[in-house]
Amino acid sequence: MEKIFKCFDFNHQSQHLSWDEYFMAIANISALRSKDPNRKVGCCLVDEDSKRILAIGYNGFPRGCPDSKLPWTKHGKWLDTKYPYVCHAEANAILNSNSSLNNSTAYVTLYPCNECAKLLIQAGIKQVVFQNDTTSDSKTAAQTMFNMSKVKTKQLHLKRIVQLCDNDCDQ
């Protein structure tokens, strides 16, 4: 944990994190649990009124599927890649929730794909705050569905959290 906190820049006038910074930091910390060597994604679902965390999730294989028994590769035959097996962070967070997600906010480290957009919309989430953007047909489809269902999206440009890392933060 010590190395993670070294990544925070507390040399600002305000010595505390905003709610957006706090919840995105939780999403980033959750992402560190992912075993995916290519992309670590985290999600933190929050009740906007109470500022209570409802659930967190990260990308990984389903329960009971050992990380060493399935492929993490991105290229090759579809069944020899991670894609048919990985559960996305948003899906895991939704499934980890024990309460209603109506009118909640999703803080995600990467803009949701079209499949996760469907799940977020169906769960009743009304706002998606994302850190890293992407460009793809999947994002375009997600944006279309978010717009149609009146789910707000905004990118959070972190000013005080440089990065969360599990190695040397000085690099």
Side-chain angles (χ1 to χ4, degrees):
M1 279 303 232
E2 182 180 333
K3 290 185 183 210
I4 290 173
F5 291 116
K6 285 182 183 175
C7 297
F8 287 87
D9 176 9
F10 289 109
N11 295 323
H12 286 75
Q13 290 178 350
S14 174
Q15 293 296 308
H16 69 277
L17 297 173
S18 71
W19 284 116
D20 281 347
E21 291 170 321
Y22 174 72
F23 294 129
M24 191 60 76
I26 299 293
N28 274 283
I29 289 169
S30 180
L32 293 175
R33 289 281 310 139
S34 175
K35 310 295 186 307
D36 190 331
N38 301 299
R39 177 167 283 165
K40 296 181 184 309
V41 181
C43 178
C44 180
L45 303 178
V46 176
D47 179 292
E48 273 304 307
D49 295 329
S50 67
K51 301 298 184 201
R52 185 173 63 92
I53 295 173
L54 302 172
I56 57 173
Y58 56 89
N59 58 317
F61 295 139
R63 287 185 187 133
C65 297
D67 296 319
S68 60
K69 301 284 186 193
L70 293 172
W72 284 111
T73 58
K74 293 170 45 175
H75 305 288
K77 293 180 187 174
W78 190 63
L79 290 175
D80 295 332
T81 68
K82 65 181 181 175
Y83 299 113
Y85 310 107
V86 169
C87 294
H88 287 190
E90 300 91 332
N92 276 326
I94 290 168
L95 293 168
N96 287 336
S97 176
N98 290 323
S99 58
S100 172
L101 300 175
N102 280 333
N103 299 314
S104 62
T105 297
Y107 289 84
V108 291
T109 59
L110 182 67
Y111 196 95
C113 72
N114 64 303
E115 294 298 322
C116 289
K118 291 185 241 182
L119 295 174
L120 293 166
I121 293 164
Q122 289 297 95
I125 289 159
K126 292 301 178 195
Q127 179 171 273
V128 174
V129 180
F130 63 97
Q131 182 176 343
N132 298 306
D133 206 352
T134 183
T135 55
S136 66
D137 288 343
S138 178
K139 180 195 175 177
T140 302
Q143 283 178 312
T144 299
M145 290 185 284
F146 285 146
N147 290 337
M148 290 175 136
S149 59
K150 308 229 183 320
V151 172
K152 297 175 186 171
T153 61
K154 75 173 183 178
Q155 186 169 16
L156 181 62
H157 298 282
L158 297 176
K159 295 177 180 140
R160 293 199 278 174
I161 303 168
V162 177
Q163 66 179 3
L164 294 174
C165 57
D166 51 5
N167 293 322
D168 186 6
C169 293
D170 296 329
Q171 293 183 4

